[in-house]
Amino acid sequence: MKTFYILAILLSLSASAQAPKFELTAQGFVNASDPEQNYLVIESPELDQAQVYKKALTYLHTLYSNPDEALSVIENEQITVDGYAPNSVHRNGMHVFDMDYNYILKFKDGKLRIDAPTFELTTFTDHKQVLHLVWTKFSMDGSNLGIYGKKDRLKSDRAKEDLENHFNAIVSGIFEAINSAGDDW
């Protein structure tokens, strides 16, 4: 019986120690656990605001080849990320889009808030093509496409999955950085 209680405690601890996730809807990114929220919160109660900020900033510096251009900071309060990911979002087997994106991190004692990312998706074949979050019109030349269409119907599972994977990988990395023990080398 003791083994059962220990296992139950360990499972509940591991379940609570998972990074929150974004889900892409026709209205944009929302918190996968609470679709009414368009942000995620990562908690680390043992850290003060400056410590949470420093750990997040240190992690973000590892993500971007030129962090001085990608990151705009208000020390200990906010980080705005303007990123670019070439060939990162697939609509189907033929279309791969470059992504310009933006998201904001805000800090409090023991907490980090990540606002829903915004993005623009473009590619160039014989002409410029844009992949919109929602596109309900008809595009004769294929220059405008949508992840979602009429009545918020999902038109590109692959684009939705690529976008969620991209941003949830960033969130997971930030989560791990915030909740990791100190660097003991």
Side-chain angles (χ1 to χ4, degrees):
M1 195 65 154
K2 271 187 177 178
T3 307
F4 174 75
Y5 287 119
I6 292 171
L7 182 60
I9 291 170
L10 290 174
L11 286 174
S12 69
L13 287 175
S14 68
S16 66
Q18 290 183 347
K21 293 184 185 286
F22 280 116
E23 180 179 345
L24 185 65
T25 70
Q27 288 70 45
F29 278 104
V30 296
N31 184 326
S33 303
D34 183 358
E36 296 297 315
Q37 295 179 338
N38 64 348
Y39 61 89
L40 303 176
V41 175
I42 296 174
E43 296 190 32
S44 191
E46 70 282 354
L47 300 178
D48 66 23
Q49 183 171 344
Q51 291 169 314
V52 174
Y53 169 84
K54 184 176 180 184
K55 284 187 170 211
L57 182 62
T58 300
Y59 174 73
L60 291 172
H61 270 261
T62 68
L63 281 184
Y64 298 97
S65 58
N66 193 346
D68 291 335
E69 283 187 22
L71 308 176
S72 174
V73 302
I74 300 172
E75 191 168 340
N76 296 326
E77 292 184 31
Q78 181 174 302
I79 300 172
T80 301
V81 179
D82 290 310
Y84 175 73
N87 299 315
S88 57
V89 178
H90 298 78
R91 180 175 169 265
N92 55 32
M94 293 175 50
H95 297 95
V96 183
F97 291 81
D98 299 334
M99 176 171 49
D100 287 297
Y101 62 89
N102 175 286
Y103 59 94
I104 297 173
L105 291 80
K106 298 175 183 173
F107 302 89
K108 288 186 178 181
D109 284 342
K111 292 183 182 182
L112 159 66
R113 173 180 162 152
I114 305 171
D115 288 342
T118 59
F119 57 88
E120 293 179 11
L121 303 168
T122 57
T123 193
F124 294 89
T125 51
D126 57 341
H127 62 283
K128 180 179 177 181
Q129 292 180 292
V130 177
L131 182 59
H132 301 273
L133 178 59
V134 177
W135 186 257
T136 58
K137 302 173 190 167
F138 183 73
S139 179
M140 282 294 258
D141 63 356
S143 60
N144 290 290
L145 305 164
I147 299 169
Y148 286 89
K150 292 180 181 173
K151 298 183 182 177
D152 297 342
R153 186 179 62 84
L154 182 61
K155 293 169 63 175
S156 178
D157 291 318
R158 190 156 182 200
K160 179 182 186 300
E161 181 180 332
D162 284 351
L163 285 160
E164 288 174 347
N165 287 343
H166 179 87
F167 291 109
N168 286 328
I170 293 171
V171 170
S172 181
I174 293 169
F175 177 85
E176 289 174 22
I178 299 295
N179 289 296
S180 68
D183 215 5
D184 204 18
W185 54 279

